Every structure is written in C-alpha cells, then in structure tokens.
Amino acid sequence: MISIFFNTRKRDQDYIDHIKKCSNYENEIECFENDGSTSLAESYNNFLFKAKHEIVIFIHDDLILSDGFDKKILNAFEESDYGILGLAGTTFLDKNGIWWQHRSHCCGKVSHLHDGKVNHTKYAPEKKIIQQVCCIDGLFIAVHKERIEMGFDERFEGFHFYDIPFCVLNALKGIKIGVVSGLNITHKSIGEVNDSWHENRAFFEQTFKEHLPIQVNPNIEVPELKIPKKNKNGVSIIIPTLEHYEMLEKCVNSIVQNTKQINYEILIADTGSDKSTIDKIKNNLCNDNIILHEFNYYHFGKINNEMVKQCQYPYVLFSNNDIELLNDGISKMAEVLSSNKDCGTIGARLHYPNKTIQHGGIALLAKGSQLHLSHVGLKTFYQASFKKEKNVFGNTAAFLMIKKSLFNKIGGFIENNISAFEDVILNIETIKLGKKNIYCGDVVCIHHESITRGNLKGMLEAKDMKNILQPYLRKNIRYLKPYINKHLM
C-alpha cells in the first residue's frame, strides 16, 4: 500500500476518484486545502511524518495519472535501494538550481496539456532501468520513508523550490535518487515560472552555494545477454596495437572471459612495439586461437585490410586495443548479423572510464552548409539507447563487426587518408549497397584511452576532414539525407 498526498485550493472529489481509478491498491489518499498560507515544504512534511505507509507519493492536483502508477512505483522501490523516485531529473545540478538547464544530463519524460494538446518533453531515450540522478522535478515525488535522511526544507516558502532542496539535502547524505519510466502522466499546465519562483531560486543558490554544483556518476548499465544457441559462424577479431601491453592484455582477457556462444580467433596486429612487449604478447597471450602478426608501420586502414586477408571466419570484428568488453557482446553482435541479411555494420555502446557514453552510434549533423560528425550520447549517461536500434547512420571501428564478404565487396577501408574517417566511409559504402547499419545498445564496452585526443592527432584529422571526408560527403549527399540530424531518441 501507498500513501498519496496533494495540495489543492478546493477539495475535488473527481480528482480523488481519478487517483483511485488509476490505482491498483487501496491506498491512503489525503489532500490539504491550502489557501496559500502554508508552504508546500511544510505541508509535505506534515503528511510525510504521519503517513500510514512507508511509500509516500506527493503529486500536484492537476495530473492525469496512468493506470497502475502505484504498482510501478512500489515495484521500483522493492527491486532497488532508491530512496526518492520521480518522472524526470538530471545527473548534474548547477549552482543556480535549474535542473533542466543542462539538457544532455537530463533524463525522463514530462507531458503537459496546453490549449487542448499534449506536448511531450522527452529528455532521453526511455530505459527499463531506474536512471540515477541527483535531483528530480517536483511534479511527482515518490519517497521511501525508511531510506531518506532529510525531510523537505521549510526555509523555502510558497509553492516553489520545495523539490530541489529536498533532493540535494538527501543526495548529500548518500541517498539514491532516480527516474522511472513507463509512467505516462500528464500535467494540466505548462509549469511557467513567476516572481516567487525566481525569488526562491535565488535563495536556493545562496543557501546551498557551498555544496553546488552537485553531480552523480551512475554505474554503467550492463545487461546479461541471453544467446539462445551457439552461432555456427565464427568471428575473427582484429586488434591493432602498439606498446601498452597491460591495456592489450585487459582487452584480450575481456573477450576470452565473456565470449561464450561463438567460435572466434584473435589476430593481434602489432605495429612496432619493442622486443619486451612482443615477448610478453607471445609468452602470455598467444595460443592456437590468439595469433600475433608483426608490422613495422601503422596505418589503420592498411593494417586492417591486410589482417582481413588472414581471417578464417566469415565475420570480422575490428577492435581497438583499449576496449574492455563487459558482456557477451560478440556473440550478440554475431546473432544480429546472422539474422539480418541486409545488415551492414554492427556497433556497440561504448563508455569512457568515467562511465559516461562515448559512442551510441555515429550522428551526422548539418551546420550551415557543412556536415559534421558526432557520437549519439557523447559524454552523457542516458542520451544513447540501451537496446538494439536498427538503421543508424553508422558505427565506430573502435568496436565494429561486419561480414568479411561485404567488407571485401566494398574494397575494405580507404588507404589514401592520413589518420581518420575510414570507418565513416565504410558505413556509408554499406548504405550505398542498400544495407542497414545496426547499433546494439545492449552490447557494452569501456573505451579506455579515447577520452582525450592529442593535438597532433587532431591536426591530422582536420586534414583528412578537409581533403578526404568533406569531398566524399558532398559526392554522396543523396545517400546521407535520411540520416542527417537523426538521433536514437
């Protein structure tokens, strides 16, 4: 059972009946007829401390609730250790207290009814998981009484900024705050700010300035992949490397430990490491399925093209040496590849070591007359999809699978560049052949070194952008139009 509370100017039995109709349980429902003389913080505290049940939901008096909202909230608390749950929130709260200001840090969904139309604000792709944040919007606040440390801050008068201080006070005590999906709740107003809101916001900024900004870094969501049967095809995994033996070892071990449902070989392409590193690779990593090939130069396209000629299996996976696989993603990618005859490239969700997303599919953006590249979800926690998405623009070759026959039909990676964009052009070539590039959000890796780029690499990429990629994009614009500014939202 749940206790539900709201403030209202005049008791409306129809609204109470609506709450009951949308509930699965015989909940405690109480409203407080507030003439404006009592702050929301005070009235919420009064109910919080006397509520009959340990789960308490505070709502506005103008919500259209979804069926079974109470059951979803109860289940969310029972299956987690969260203390506070809401509909939308942010992982980063700036010192000004405006939770929605940094859109890339936000998640959840809020719907508003205005002029007879429902407008949906979707801050990130919806997730089945609870998305951890540092604060939530006060439209709908669910609280587990036994898990929170602080009540609402009664220093804030009126009807504004009762939610943010409550979240911050509990977040500072280590209480987990989250956003739940699947609650299709609509607010019968657009939530405009007024003078009172601005006054309380300024008071919040002054009161909490020593604690702000505040941020949480949610754990990486790694699903357990259930592959129904072992794939009859095999995959050849190509890993170019140079020095950094420990990183290569972590990469190889993560593949060996996680890959269960497909046969594979690992082809290590060393591009000039010293003898001690070569000896470590030979003595510690190599066996019948892990083979070392030595080169005295490095060029991404040329090296990988040469290595594909050595591959014994029909599927090829290109992997950086700084990748750490977190689940049986290789088997999953092979399963997707084998079940989609029109598949081009297959990619994965890559995270930086600080847990933010590095890659959720390549994004193609138009800025003026120029086309630019980015990664969906870049440096955010929730902006990329955590499930399979078909027909994305492309995938990064940091961890990319493709059929060897298709790769050879395209002619492999380009070799006339200096440093970059071989993978972008490969993805476009698959599109030109009528193929679909697929991003698998449930395949998860950490990409260890690419959080920063050196100045030299940046300059070389700029030359390739000007001399190779931009002319290629202009030449093939008719194939690109369906993908421009299309994200995985």
Side-chain angles (χ1 to χ4, degrees):
M1 301 295 182
I2 290 174
S3 296
I4 301 171
F5 180 76
F6 63 94
N7 274 240
T8 188
R9 284 185 170 84
K10 184 178 180 180
R11 180 185 176 89
D12 182 356
Q13 186 59 43
D14 287 342
Y15 187 57
I16 295 174
D17 291 341
H18 171 68
I19 297 171
K20 291 179 179 179
K21 182 180 178 181
C22 294
S23 301
N24 277 45
Y25 310 118
E26 294 292 328
N27 299 310
E28 176 189 20
I29 302 173
E30 184 173 316
C31 69
F32 174 60
E33 293 187 51
N34 195 340
D35 60 3
S37 60
T38 305
S39 70
L40 279 189
E42 182 182 351
S43 68
Y44 279 13
N45 277 340
N46 289 339
F47 183 74
L48 179 65
F49 299 138
K50 72 173 186 178
K52 294 179 181 178
H53 306 296
E54 64 181 11
I55 306 301
V56 181
I57 299 178
F58 298 97
I59 58 175
H60 286 195
D61 66 347
D62 57 350
L63 299 185
I64 301 174
L65 299 168
S66 57
D67 290 342
F69 74 95
D70 56 342
K71 182 178 180 181
K72 290 180 180 178
I73 289 296
L74 186 60
N75 289 344
F77 279 120
E78 288 179 344
E79 296 169 4
S80 74
D81 58 350
Y82 282 82
I84 302 170
L85 296 173
L87 303 179
T90 181
T91 60
F92 177 78
L93 182 67
D94 213 333
K95 63 181 180 180
N96 60 20
I98 304 174
W99 75 262
W100 64 86
Q101 182 177 44
H102 299 280
R103 183 65 178 263
S104 63
H105 290 274
C106 296
C107 62
K109 183 178 74 173
V110 177
S111 300
H112 297 277
L113 181 63
H114 184 61
D115 291 337
K117 295 181 180 180
V118 177
N119 300 305
H120 304 287
T121 303
K122 189 177 180 182
Y123 292 100
E126 287 197 85
K127 309 290 190 292
K128 291 182 179 180
I129 63 165
I130 298 173
Q131 299 159 87
Q132 188 178 2
V133 294
C134 64
C135 72
I136 57 171
D137 179 56
L139 178 71
F140 182 101
I141 303 175
V143 176
H144 193 301
K145 289 172 59 175
E146 304 304 316
R147 296 177 185 172
I148 63 170
E149 292 282 340
M150 307 292 290
F152 291 86
D153 193 336
E154 295 185 20
R155 292 175 294 179
F156 290 81
E157 300 178 349
F159 290 0
H160 298 289
F161 268 80
Y162 57 93
D163 48 0
I164 307 303
F166 173 65
C167 290
V168 170
L169 288 171
N170 280 284
L172 291 172
K173 295 288 187 178
I175 307 306
K176 289 181 69 174
I177 303 170
V179 166
V180 291
S181 61
L183 293 173
N184 297 313
I185 294 173
T186 302
H187 192 198
K188 295 181 183 178
S189 76
I190 57 174
E192 294 179 316
V193 300
N194 55 22
D195 290 344
S196 176
W197 183 90
H198 285 292
E199 290 173 5
N200 276 12
R201 190 213 60 76
F203 180 60
F204 171 83
E205 183 175 353
Q206 179 64 30
T207 304
F208 287 90
K209 61 183 179 181
E210 64 183 88
H211 301 295
L212 299 172
I214 186 170
Q215 179 171 342
V216 295
N217 286 15
N219 289 326
I220 298 171
E221 175 66 16
V222 184
E224 182 181 352
L225 299 176
K226 297 179 180 179
I227 314 299
K229 59 182 179 179
K230 191 161 186 175
N231 197 309
K232 64 181 180 180
N233 299 298
V235 58
S236 297
I237 304 163
I238 301 172
I239 309 175
T241 190
L242 176 65
E243 301 300 348
H244 298 293
Y245 170 79
E246 290 77 13
M247 187 166 291
L248 172 66
E249 181 181 47
K250 178 178 287 188
C251 174
V252 171
N253 287 342
S254 73
I255 293 171
V256 172
Q257 291 166 7
N258 285 291
T259 307
K260 308 297 182 183
Q261 292 294 79
I262 190 168
N263 293 324
Y264 64 89
E265 63 175 351
I266 298 175
L267 307 180
I268 299 172
D270 189 273
T271 61
S273 297
D274 62 29
K275 185 177 183 302
S276 63
T277 301
I278 294 294
D279 288 342
K280 288 179 182 177
I281 296 172
K282 289 180 178 179
N283 296 332
N284 301 333
L285 298 180
C286 290
N287 55 40
D288 291 342
N289 293 323
I290 303 175
I291 304 161
L292 174 65
H293 295 260
E294 297 183 54
F295 296 84
N296 59 5
Y297 70 94
Y298 176 77
H299 182 280
F300 182 88
K302 292 178 182 179
I303 292 290
N304 279 292
N305 288 343
E306 284 298 315
M307 293 303 299
V308 169
K309 297 174 184 177
Q310 309 299 321
C311 294
Q312 65 168 309
Y313 289 119
Y315 298 165
V316 177
L317 175 68
F318 302 102
S319 174
N320 282 12
N321 67 338
D322 56 354
I323 287 289
E324 181 182 359
L325 182 64
L326 299 184
N327 59 7
D328 194 1
I330 295 175
S331 298
K332 173 62 184 290
M333 294 166 80
E335 179 186 55
V336 174
L337 190 57
S338 63
S339 62
N340 290 270
K341 64 180 180 180
D342 61 347
C343 182
T345 67
I346 304 261
R349 172 163 45 101
L350 308 184
H351 287 258
Y352 290 123
N354 69 0
K355 303 177 184 179
T356 58
I357 293 165
Q358 188 250 341
H359 174 81
I362 298 175
L364 185 62
L365 311 173
K367 296 182 180 179
S369 60
Q370 291 283 335
L371 291 177
H372 297 269
L373 301 170
S374 185
H375 288 168
V376 176
L378 182 65
K379 296 183 180 180
T380 71
F381 291 104
Y382 300 119
Q383 296 294 323
S385 174
F386 286 12
K387 61 182 180 180
K388 182 179 73 175
E389 295 282 350
K390 290 187 178 181
N391 203 20
V392 298
F393 170 64
N395 296 291
T396 174
F399 201 75
L400 180 151
M401 187 179 289
I402 190 172
K403 290 179 180 177
K404 183 169 66 173
S405 58
L406 177 59
F407 184 79
N408 289 333
K409 182 177 182 179
I410 290 169
F413 289 116
I414 61 168
E415 297 185 3
N416 63 331
N417 63 326
I418 305 172
S419 175
F421 307 119
E422 298 97 335
D423 51 359
V424 177
I425 292 175
L426 178 72
N427 281 286
I428 296 173
E429 289 297 310
T430 66
I431 292 172
K432 289 167 65 176
L433 291 173
K435 304 296 183 181
K436 295 180 179 180
N437 299 318
I438 297 177
Y439 155 74
C440 294
D442 53 359
V443 176
V444 192
C445 304
I446 298 175
H447 196 179
H448 280 280
E449 282 197 334
S450 292
I451 196 164
T452 57
R453 293 174 177 266
N455 292 332
L456 176 60
K457 183 174 178 61
M459 289 189 294
L460 296 177
E461 286 188 3
K463 290 183 178 180
D464 281 337
M465 172 66 79
K466 178 182 178 180
N467 300 327
I468 303 293
L469 186 62
Q470 286 295 344
Y472 177 85
L473 295 177
R474 289 193 292 270
K475 179 180 177 181
N476 293 283
I477 188 65
R478 66 189 180 99
Y479 298 102
L480 308 179
K481 287 181 178 179
Y483 301 94
I484 295 174
N485 294 337
K486 293 288 180 67
H487 292 253
L488 301 181
M489 295 291 286

